[in-house]
């Protein structure tokens, strides 16, 4: 497995819109293994999206199972994910491997219904809430070229410089 380089602001490739995945083959499995190794190699992150390592295809990994008392589905590879239902909204703090020096307050849906394929192309549907739903919405934004800094309520009052190495 390889640890891949993570694109960071202000790299303009982070604004690129990713394309749907059409081939569910060994190369895809290999890439997902590298993407997960990259997620685990850095400062602990609950998710990573393929375009963050310059692969512009609609794939993300999310795993919030390490956070206590958070309803979750464990380690998830989400390919061609689509949110088909949203409920509620809440403000919460987010960080990102591509924005290492800041965190920010972002409004997200509190519950979602999600459809996504797995590494074999099988379609699954998930009901998600809370932090897991937030993490999925954050990672899916990367597929459309959006970062959390594009969504903060106010860049003046809702962006926070990290005091030390990133923690979340
Ligand atoms: Ni991110």
């Amino acid at each position: 497995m390889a640890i891949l380089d993570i694109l960071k602001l202000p790299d303009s490739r982070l604004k690129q819109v990713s394309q749907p995945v059409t081939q569910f083959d060994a190369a895809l499995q290999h890439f997902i293994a590298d993407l997960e190794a990259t997620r685990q190699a850095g400062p602990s992150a609950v998710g990573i999206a393929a375009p963050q390592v310059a692969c512009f295809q609609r794939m993300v990994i999310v795993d919030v199972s390490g956070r206590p008392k958070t309803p979750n589905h464990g380690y998830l590879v989400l390919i061609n994910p689509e949110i088909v239902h949203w409920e509620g909204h809440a403000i919460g703090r987010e960080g990102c491997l591509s924005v290492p020096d800041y965190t920010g307050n972002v409004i997200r849906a509190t519950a979602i219904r999600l459809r996504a394929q797995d590494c074999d192309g099988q379609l699954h549907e998930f009901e998600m809430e809370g932090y897991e739903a937030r993490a999925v919405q954050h990672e899916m934004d990367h597929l459309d070229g959006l970062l959390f800094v594009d969504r903060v309520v106010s860049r003046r009052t809702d962006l926070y410089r990290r005091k030390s190495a990133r923690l979340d």
Side-chain angles (χ1 to χ4, degrees):
M1 277 183 296
I3 307 301
L4 307 169
D5 286 338
I6 293 181
L7 304 184
K8 298 190 174 83
L9 263 187
D11 195 310
S12 61
R13 289 174 289 176
L14 289 165
K15 294 186 195 294
Q16 199 166 318
V17 175
S18 292
Q19 298 302 307
V21 174
T22 55
Q23 304 258 38
F24 295 85
D25 54 11
L28 175 82
Q29 314 270 352
H30 188 92
F31 172 77
I32 290 294
D34 287 349
L35 189 63
E36 173 62 3
T38 303
R39 181 181 77 89
Q40 292 195 7
S44 69
V46 295
I48 191 167
Q52 289 183 276
V53 297
C55 170
F56 300 97
Q57 297 197 50
R58 303 187 78 81
M59 301 184 262
V60 308
I61 293 172
V62 168
D63 184 354
V64 302
S65 61
R67 289 175 66 105
K69 296 180 189 162
T70 301
N72 70 86
H73 295 81
Y75 168 76
L76 288 174
V77 176
L78 303 170
I79 299 182
N80 300 326
E82 269 187 80
I83 296 173
V84 295
H85 185 74
W86 289 259
E87 267 181 51
H89 59 270
I91 196 159
R93 191 74 71 94
E94 298 185 10
C96 181
L97 293 170
S98 296
V99 191
D101 296 334
Y102 291 88
T103 61
N105 286 333
V106 182
I107 294 171
R108 303 282 189 190
T110 50
I112 57 173
R113 187 180 315 132
L114 178 78
R115 282 188 199 137
Q117 287 168 281
D118 63 22
C119 285
D120 299 316
Q122 295 290 324
L123 190 62
H124 300 270
E125 193 165 290
F126 304 92
E127 303 276 349
M128 295 179 168
E129 59 178 308
Y131 196 75
E132 186 178 51
R134 173 174 296 277
V136 166
Q137 291 169 82
H138 173 113
E139 298 310 331
M140 284 180 65
D141 266 356
H142 282 294
L143 305 180
D144 293 318
L146 286 170
L147 298 173
F148 78 83
V149 293
D150 300 313
R151 290 205 185 262
V152 289
V153 179
S154 156
R155 287 196 181 219
R156 190 172 59 82
T157 59
D158 292 301
L159 271 186
Y160 306 89
R161 186 171 269 283
R162 287 187 190 271
K163 291 189 181 67
S164 56
R166 62 184 302 288
L167 298 171
D168 54 349

